[in-house]
Amino acid sequence: MALLNIENLSVHYGLKTVLHNLSFTVNAGEGWVIQGQSGAGKTTLGKAVSGQLRSTGQLKIDFNPQSPLPAEVLFVESWYRFTNLEGDRNFYYQQRYNHYQRKDTITVAHELEQYGKEQGLNKERLEELLTTLNYREVLDEQLFEISSGEHKKLQLIKALWLRPQLLIIDQPYTGLDVKSRANLNALLNNYTTAGGALLLISNDTGLPECISHFITLKEGRIVPAGAVLSTTERPAKPLPSFLVTPPQYTSRDIIGMHDVAVRYDEKYVLSNIDWQVKAGERWLLQGPNGSGKSTLLSLITADHPQAYANHITLFGVKRGGGESIWDIKKRIGLISPELHWYFDANATVAQSLASGFFDSNGQYQQLRYAQKQQLEELLKFLDLFDLRNELLTTLPLGKQRLALLGRTIIKNPQLLVLDEPCQGLDQQQTQYFNHLVDLISKNGVTIIYVGHFESQLPSCLTHKLVLAQGKMILNESF
């Protein structure tokens, strides 16, 4: 039975046409994937189908009155947007680590309880989802405390608990570890078997078995089935001159941790961490969702107040030895999904990159001449120069990530902390960025790189640290 019928659908942003005369039909019980490079129009299509954007042409949804599934369309965004108890989103990046502010948002359990009441949902179904996606451990956490992968799981649990007749998920695998992806695929297979129609917006491999139809978009148009997509290789460019110069190290000891532990009340998030990082080493940090990776990184980036209660040295100086947070941050370039959430929505692309000089979430200071030269050189290197005056938030997600990746390297720091840096990037952009990391590594920069998949990593990595349940289970050199 045809659930969704689209004929000559177009979407316009002002004078710009983003989608051009799309036509396709989706039946109940089918699984579809919408794929294409960043900026091709994938998210725009999902929002148009769900009624969030105005479109022209025909978009007809015929719900089945006999279906046990609700006669609804649900669009799951690429990341979760939540509010505090006052109903706004005025959060800041370090807030999730400040225990005294833990009452600013509701807990995960309360969020699910409210959602279930609003939708009139069965609690037994929720229990099954919590078990399958291994989500019980975070139920008592505040919404702003959980990681990007845990936020994605919350989105997925709510969607699969509701089980609408048409479900659209933007970037379903963002932040999920290997096991969680496999468990999600099993849930999606069950959903289509029950009669739900599924549209995944994703360039990922390892899709569920229920996926039988593909739409590939290029510049807002559907690429005909069987057509070979030409992938334009980025021309080889010389590395910006300021990134060829080795970082100015103040110590050969970058990170030193001895018996480090972090706990909230009686719950340990990290325990018995012994870790040393020397200048020039390039570490891969891995572990399943909820293993403590984000908390470990927050101790390094001077964002976690419990660093002072532990034996931690950064850049040769023990925490609490008189150095300021900004003394530490000026030596570090950071990108993470959480930093992206809290970034200044009014910043242009150029301001976003320039903010890396000041470790801020937007550019609030004037640049010196040399800094302006570095900014221009990096914008051109990343193919963002023509977009420099555009608001960061108006760019496709992939290009937003590239701009923030540029922010991490603009000051040629001693330490790069790259926490899942390729979230939201398509395969070509991922390869491009990892190649960039390999190039930069030649100047001797120290790197900590968080990534779940071995096939999506730079080749320069030399060491590996793996966490599970807040403890080290592997610490080795390659």
Side-chain angles (χ1 to χ4, degrees), residues 235-255:
K237 296 181 180 180
L239 199 65
S241 57
F242 68 92
L243 290 175
V244 177
T245 305
Q248 296 181 358
Y249 283 114
T250 52
S251 171
R252 298 305 299 173
D253 297 313
I254 303 300
I255 300 168

Side-chain angles (χ1 to χ4, degrees), residues 18 73 79 90 94 136 168 192 201-202 211 233 256 282 299-300 310 315 327 361 376 380 419 467:
V18 181
V73 180
W79 64 47
N90 188 28
Q94 294 86 355
R136 296 185 186 279
I168 308 165
T192 56
I201 300 172
S202 176
I211 298 299
E233 291 288 333
R282 301 178 292 276
L299 295 171
I300 297 166
N310 281 282
F315 307 100
D327 287 333
N361 285 348
E376 181 174 332
K380 290 179 178 178
D419 185 0
L467 300 180

